[in-house]
């Protein structure tokens, strides 16, 4: 009775979270319970809970990468962060600066050897380890092969060819666009700029340089601006009911995206399972297409509350390097970050969306091995993303150019960093 | 008066005041719970917000990239917010939205209330419930629902226009975003406001209507000359609610934002504040924005009440 009254009082005053965190977590016969935030990953967590007796995971889906990082920051500032969280690579520096992530350098054990150095670099800086990579997102050209064949389109190997294909698609079916350029496609656009040689952030001896509006990135912006003006690609939000509907009708043909893309598309267009395929991302230069593969998305597992750090690291290691977890991950269409997981892809069937594609994992491996190294994200990517989408939106409506949108983003990001007190080159 | 003074200077407290103490304590005991809640959930948070708004997130040494911590920055957050064009254009958008939503909401609410109050009205209970029902739908769900009805490929309206050989209706493009958003507020808000006005109408003594009818007053005149002037206080109240509600618009544009490029992340002041506080991890900046918004809301409400009271209750001093 009294407990019920207290619970009600708690609900009334909004301290249920506090009560819950006192009530749950550890204690009972040596079993450690970890609160874990991540989008998806349900099957892996079930497998972990079924195979472990001393650690149990309490899984919460706190929304996708962006939402989740915002909630994590807030929970961490309020002092009630979960024990373990998924975070996207691009948000890690900002989370480190806000002290939302626990450094696990001393607990990492042999984990660094189980990843490619370039991959490991995504979660550790100057030898300080802040997380363990889950999957990587080398970019590929994900396209609706059935519709491409139907319209007689070839798969582009360079971006110039892509422009021709976009024009052909518009000619052959006026309702169709080869792709949509989204306003919130910060990570994707950063990837395309990086592919051309752009560096959006660099840090040396604590001194930052922001290159969102460097010459290369502006050229990339001008290329897409031209396609928008000629109405060859559609500008607008993606993964909305509207866009999903168009995609299901076969009016959106492709998506340059990280190799995690098939899982996302399968989630909204199950009926097109088997119709899709991946190809190397078109390149900027002549010759070997995709020789430089940029990176988009992918995420890491991090410890976000340090009072059960050993158990948390054990769970993270299992999730990212164990055979069972990697098999489940590959089945979901993710490309594992760990070397052992990558080796396992060879024997796996392709993800359902690209179910008919024999060489799916070959192409994914090719993209992964040709990924550009040294990707550095800035300490205020959240701000950059937000400014970018606000600046790009009018550009997609034809009220501004993408080139100006990038300049605006650069200015806002530099101002924001300067105000916070980062050492920054103008 | 004079007695008061002599009592006050009469030195140490006499036995009389001691006898009075229980009586003076009673109101405080009775006010206690309310005061405690007021302190805990309003006064202290307000003071804390004021304190926070004078702090700033700045980089201090530590970690790989440095860490952001709270330091005292005085009025820097206010300066930055007040000189931020994006913050002010949010108020501009609110003005447009409010000019569409508020008069229509109140007008329709009054209209429905008068219709319900009409002697010949049928199925009163049912109509009242039907008009009120949308208010029970949470704003976010209402926005999603309407969002689907606005998006060209899922919209039943656009389906019809396309069947007629016309284009889809661009609900979420250009300036159409304002009426589209106002419509969501209208759909949800009319019922609630109608209920307030209707309640006020029911409390008018029927003798007044009898007298008016005796004097040859038609139903139209009855509505215009008697009912409307008598429910002015209710209109004032609903007007104030709508105004404050307008300044606090957040849920609808935030929910529709992913569906259209028209709504930026700082589209209305509250979205701007949310972005500062949670996306940019800068609660002090959000606190400063909130203080500015609160003071503005307070000032506008006060102004409206002053002006309207004089007009509505003029002469009743």
């Amino acid at each position: 009775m009294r407990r019920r009254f207290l619970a009600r009082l708690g609900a009334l005053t909004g301290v249920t979270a506090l009560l819950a965190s006192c009530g749950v977590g550890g204690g009972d016969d040596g079993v450690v319970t970890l609160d874990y935030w991540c989008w998806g990953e349900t099957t892996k967590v079930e497998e972990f809970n079924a195979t472990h007796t001393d650690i149990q995971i309490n899984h919460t889906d706190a929304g996708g990468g962006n939402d989740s990082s915002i909630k994590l920051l807030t929970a961490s500032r309020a002092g009630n962060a979960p024990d373990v969280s998924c975070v996207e690579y691009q948000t890690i520096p900002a989370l480190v600066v806000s002290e939302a992530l626990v450094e696990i350098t001393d607990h990492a054990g042999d984990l660094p050897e189980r990843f490619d150095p370039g991959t490991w670099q995504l979660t550790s800086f100057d030898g300080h380890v802040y997380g363990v990579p889950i999957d990587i997102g080398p970019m590929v050209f994900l396209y609706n092969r059935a519709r491409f064949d139907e319209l007689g389109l070839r798969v582009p190997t360079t971006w110039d060819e892509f422009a021709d294909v976009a024009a052909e698609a518009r000619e052959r079916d006026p309702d169709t666009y080869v792709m949509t350029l989204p306003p919130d496609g910060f990570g994707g656009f950063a990837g395309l700029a990086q592919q051309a040689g752009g560096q959006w952030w660099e840090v040396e001896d604590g001194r930052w340089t922001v290159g969102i509006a460097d010459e290369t990135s502006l050229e990339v912006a001008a290329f897409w601006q031209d396609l928008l003006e000629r109405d060859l690609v559609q500008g607008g939000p993606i993964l909305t009911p509207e866009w999903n509907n168009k995609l299901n009708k076969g009016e959106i043909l492709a998506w340059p995206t990280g190799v995690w893309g098939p899982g996302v598309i399968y989630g909204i267009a199950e009926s097109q399972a088997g119709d899709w395929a991946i190809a190397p991302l078109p390149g900027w230069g002549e010759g070997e297409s995709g020789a430089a593969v940029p990176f988009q998305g992918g995420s890491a597992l991090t410890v976000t509350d340090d009072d059960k750090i050993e158990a948390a690291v054990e769970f993270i290691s299992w999730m990212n390097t164990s055979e069972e977890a990697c098999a489940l991950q590959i089945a979901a269409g993710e490309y594992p970050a760990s070397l052992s997981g990558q080796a396992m892809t060879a024997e796996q069937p392709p993800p359902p969306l690209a179910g008919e594609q024999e060489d799916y994992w070959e192409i994914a491996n090719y993209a992964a091995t040709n990924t550009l190294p040294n990707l550095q994200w800035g300490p205020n990517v959240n701000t950059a993303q937000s400014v970018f989408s606000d600046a790009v939106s009018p550009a997609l409506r034809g009220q501004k150019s993408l080139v100006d949108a990038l300049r605006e983003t650069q200015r806002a990001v530099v101002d924001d960093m300067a105000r916070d007190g980062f050492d920054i080159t103008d | 008066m004079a007695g008061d003074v002599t009592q006050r200077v009469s030195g140490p407290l006499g036995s009389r005041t001691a006898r009075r103490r229980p009586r003076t304590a009673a109101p405080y005991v009775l006010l206690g719970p309310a005061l405690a809640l007021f302190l805990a959930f309003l006064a202290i948070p307000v003071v804390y917000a004021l304190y926070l708004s004078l702090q700033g997130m700045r980089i201090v040494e530590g970690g790989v990239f440095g860490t952001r911590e709270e330091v005292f920055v005085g009025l820097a957050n206010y300066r930055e917010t007040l000189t931020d064009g994006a913050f002010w254009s949010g108020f501009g958008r609110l003005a447009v939205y409010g000019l569409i939503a508020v008069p229509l909401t109140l007008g329709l609410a009054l209209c429905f209330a008068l219709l319900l109050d009409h002697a010949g009205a049928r199925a009163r209970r049912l109509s009242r419930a039907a008009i009120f029902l949308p208010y029970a739908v949470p704003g976010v769900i209402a926005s999603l629902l309407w969002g689907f009805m606005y998006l060209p490929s899922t919209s039943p309206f656009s389906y019809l226009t396309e069947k007629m050989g016309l284009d889809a209706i661009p609900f979420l493009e250009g300036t159409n975003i304002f009426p589209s958003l106002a419509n969501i507020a209208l759909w949800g808000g009319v019922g609630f406001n109608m209920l307030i006005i209707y309640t006020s109408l029911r409390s008018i003594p029927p003798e007044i209507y009898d007298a008016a009818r005796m004097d040859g007053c038609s139903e139209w005149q009855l509505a215009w000359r008697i009912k409307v002037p008598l429910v002015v206080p209710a209109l004032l109240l609903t007007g104030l609610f709508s105004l404050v509600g307008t300044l606090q618009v957040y849920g609808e544009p935030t929910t529709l934002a992913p569906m259209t490029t028209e709504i930026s992340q700082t589209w209305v002041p509250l979205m701007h504040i949310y972005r500062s506080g949670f996306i940019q991890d800068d609660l002090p900046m959000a606190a400063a924005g909130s203080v500015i918004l609160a003071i503005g809301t307070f000032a506008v409400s006060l102004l409206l009440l002053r002006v309207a009271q004089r007009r509505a209750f003029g002469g009743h001093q």
Side-chain angles (χ1 to χ4, degrees):
Chain A
M1 190 62 217
R2 190 168 153 204
R3 277 185 51 189
R4 227 166 62 191
F5 169 74
L6 276 178
R8 270 195 207 147
L9 190 75
L12 188 79
T13 54
V15 297
T16 31
L18 284 173
L19 286 178
S21 65
C22 303
V24 191
D28 309 1
D29 36 287
V31 178
V32 181
T33 305
L34 295 173
D35 282 319
Y36 167 55
W37 281 10
C38 195
W39 53 96
E41 302 286 85
T42 318
T43 47
K44 279 159 83 177
V45 172
E46 282 166 5
E47 178 76 17
F48 181 90
N49 281 340
T51 52
H52 291 70
T53 48
D54 54 342
I55 303 175
Q56 286 295 293
I57 304 300
N58 183 10
H59 177 217
T60 306
D61 186 338
N66 273 350
D67 289 348
S68 196
S69 81
I70 292 164
K71 287 180 195 170
L72 184 61
L73 266 177
T74 310
S76 167
R77 288 269 178 220
N80 51 12
D83 300 299
V84 181
S85 300
C86 284
V87 298
E88 287 183 317
Y89 296 123
Q90 63 216 41
T91 61
I92 291 179
L95 289 165
V96 168
V97 166
S98 294
E99 295 179 287
L101 305 185
V102 177
E103 191 181 325
I104 54 167
T105 317
D106 302 338
H107 302 266
D110 69 338
L111 278 171
E113 291 120 61
R114 311 184 67 162
F115 294 84
D116 180 79
T119 307
W120 189 249
Q121 223 189 25
L122 292 162
T123 56
S124 59
F125 313 96
D126 288 345
H128 299 269
V129 182
Y130 285 101
V132 180
I134 304 172
D135 69 318
I136 52 173
M139 283 179 86
V140 290
F141 187 72
L142 174 65
Y143 66 106
N144 186 331
R145 190 158 60 178
R147 285 284 289 150
F148 259 62
D149 292 347
E150 202 175 311
L151 295 172
L153 302 171
R154 66 189 189 289
V155 179
T157 57
T158 65
W159 287 110
D160 288 339
E161 276 177 32
F162 172 84
D164 299 340
V165 170
E168 281 163 18
R170 300 288 295 135
E171 264 165 47
R172 292 171 198 180
D173 184 351
D175 288 335
T176 295
Y177 284 96
V178 76
M179 70 166 273
T180 307
L181 195 65
D184 56 354
F186 176 85
F189 205 90
L192 296 174
Q194 188 207 7
Q195 184 191 27
Q199 272 287 23
W200 280 19
W201 275 278
E202 277 174 287
V203 59
E204 207 168 322
D205 301 330
R207 192 172 179 76
W208 290 88
T209 311
V210 180
I212 295 173
D214 62 16
E215 214 166 306
T216 321
S217 302
L218 293 183
E219 277 169 27
V220 174
F223 170 82
W224 289 99
Q225 180 63 34
D226 171 58
L227 293 188
L228 282 170
E229 278 169 16
R230 286 155 57 198
D231 194 33
L232 300 184
V233 296
Q234 185 194 37
I238 63 168
L239 304 171
T240 60
E242 171 75 8
W243 190 80
N244 299 353
N245 188 336
K246 281 182 133 48
L247 184 105
N248 273 295
K249 285 198 285 191
E251 291 175 3
I252 302 287
L253 303 183
W255 191 25
T257 171
V259 285
W260 41 264
V264 176
I265 299 291
Y266 180 69
I268 56 175
E270 266 185 55
S271 61
Q272 294 181 348
D275 290 355
W276 289 67
I278 57 171
L281 191 73
W284 287 108
E286 289 303 309
E288 184 66 15
S289 120
V293 179
F295 199 92
Q296 184 193 348
S299 37
L301 261 181
T302 55
V303 180
T304 38
D305 191 345
D306 57 6
D307 62 353
K308 300 171 194 158
I309 193 162
E310 265 94 15
V313 173
E314 187 182 331
F315 165 62
I316 289 175
S317 309
W318 185 92
M319 286 291 275
N320 295 350
T321 57
S322 75
E323 203 168 310
E324 305 96 307
C326 289
L328 289 169
Q329 188 180 13
I330 295 162
E334 278 180 17
Y335 194 77
S338 65
L339 293 168
S340 55
Q342 291 179 0
M344 285 167 64
T345 56
E347 302 93 59
Q348 298 290 331
L353 187 79
E356 308 286 307
Q357 191 180 11
E358 300 286 320
D359 58 356
Y360 178 91
W361 289 112
E362 258 171 72
I363 291 174
N365 274 317
Y366 171 80
T369 46
N370 285 288
T371 306
L372 289 160
N374 308 329
L375 176 64
Q376 172 70 58
W377 291 107
N380 60 342
V381 165
N382 286 345
T383 299
Q385 271 177 323
S386 162
V387 174
F388 176 87
S389 74
D390 279 1
V392 166
S393 290
L396 298 179
R397 298 195 302 266
Q399 294 166 351
K400 191 196 285 187
S401 84
L402 280 173
V403 174
D404 289 342
L406 279 195
R407 288 205 177 103
E408 215 172 292
T409 309
Q410 162 95 12
R411 227 186 352 263
V413 167
V414 169
D415 287 351
D416 182 66
M417 284 173 74
R419 190 202 60 207
D420 284 0
F422 284 101
D423 187 6
I424 188 162
T425 27
D426 268 331
Chain B
M1 278 304 282
D4 277 358
V5 175
T6 49
Q7 257 192 16
R8 212 175 304 161
V9 294
S10 69
L13 293 171
S15 58
R16 246 178 322 157
T17 35
R19 219 179 38 235
R20 215 186 286 163
R21 189 171 300 148
R23 241 192 298 170
T24 50
Y28 294 105
V29 170
L30 292 170
L31 276 173
L35 269 178
L37 288 172
F38 172 82
L39 273 176
F41 298 111
L42 195 74
I44 292 170
V46 164
V47 172
Y48 180 59
L50 284 167
Y51 157 81
L52 253 189
S53 68
L54 302 174
Q55 308 289 307
M57 301 305 282
R58 297 291 180 265
I59 292 291
V60 298
E61 286 306 308
V64 182
F65 307 121
T67 55
R68 293 172 85 234
E69 310 209 336
E70 268 180 36
V71 294
F72 180 79
V73 295
L75 295 173
N77 293 331
Y78 288 96
R79 206 172 29 247
E80 192 163 333
T81 307
L82 290 170
T83 54
D84 185 351
F87 188 68
W88 293 111
S89 44
F91 282 100
R93 293 190 195 99
L94 278 186
V96 176
Y97 164 89
L99 283 172
I100 302 170
V102 176
L104 278 172
T105 307
L106 296 188
L108 278 173
L110 179 65
C111 228
F112 285 134
L114 287 170
L115 283 172
L116 281 178
D117 193 51
H118 187 270
R122 310 215 167 206
R124 228 176 254 186
R125 272 223 166 117
L126 185 74
S127 331
R128 206 171 56 198
I131 300 168
F132 185 73
L133 197 62
Y135 180 69
V137 178
V140 168
I141 293 173
S143 306
L144 279 175
L145 209 131
W146 280 102
F148 274 88
M149 294 205 264
Y150 289 151
L151 287 168
S153 63
T154 51
S155 165
F157 309 112
S158 293
Y159 176 80
L160 290 176
T161 52
E162 278 174 339
K163 278 275 172 279
M164 286 188 259
L166 304 164
D167 282 340
I169 308 169
F171 285 108
L172 298 175
E173 285 165 40
T175 48
N176 293 352
I177 197 81
F178 291 103
S180 296
L181 273 169
N183 172 55
I184 301 175
L186 204 65
W187 182 77
V190 166
F192 173 76
N193 291 302
M194 172 204 74
L195 218 59
I196 294 181
I197 299 168
Y198 179 68
T199 312
S200 162
L201 277 172
R202 300 307 287 171
S203 66
I204 298 171
E207 294 84 1
I208 297 182
Y209 301 151
D210 294 340
R213 287 199 184 95
M214 298 271 268
D215 290 339
C217 194
S218 74
E219 287 298 321
W220 273 111
Q221 289 172 314
L222 198 68
W224 264 121
R225 299 207 170 159
I226 294 173
K227 290 182 180 180
V228 173
L230 283 173
V231 294
V232 161
L235 281 172
L236 200 66
L237 183 73
T238 51
L240 190 65
F241 282 166
S242 306
L243 187 82
V244 174
T246 299
L247 283 166
Q248 295 181 347
V249 167
Y250 172 78
E252 293 85 353
T254 305
T255 311
L256 288 186
M259 303 180 187
T260 167
T261 57
E262 207 62 54
I263 298 177
S264 68
Q265 302 209 5
T266 55
W267 206 73
V268 288
L270 267 186
M271 286 171 81
H272 193 282
I273 289 168
Y274 171 84
R275 183 175 82 156
S276 301
F278 300 105
I279 297 180
Q280 304 185 321
D281 185 34
D282 195 344
L283 276 179
M285 188 68 78
S290 306
V291 169
I292 294 167
L293 181 65
I295 290 173
T297 306
F298 190 69
V300 172
S301 308
L302 212 62
L303 194 74
L304 179 87
L305 280 175
R306 295 289 298 256
V307 171
Q309 249 167 343
R310 207 160 291 154
R311 301 207 32 199
F313 316 110
H316 293 283
Q317 281 303 322

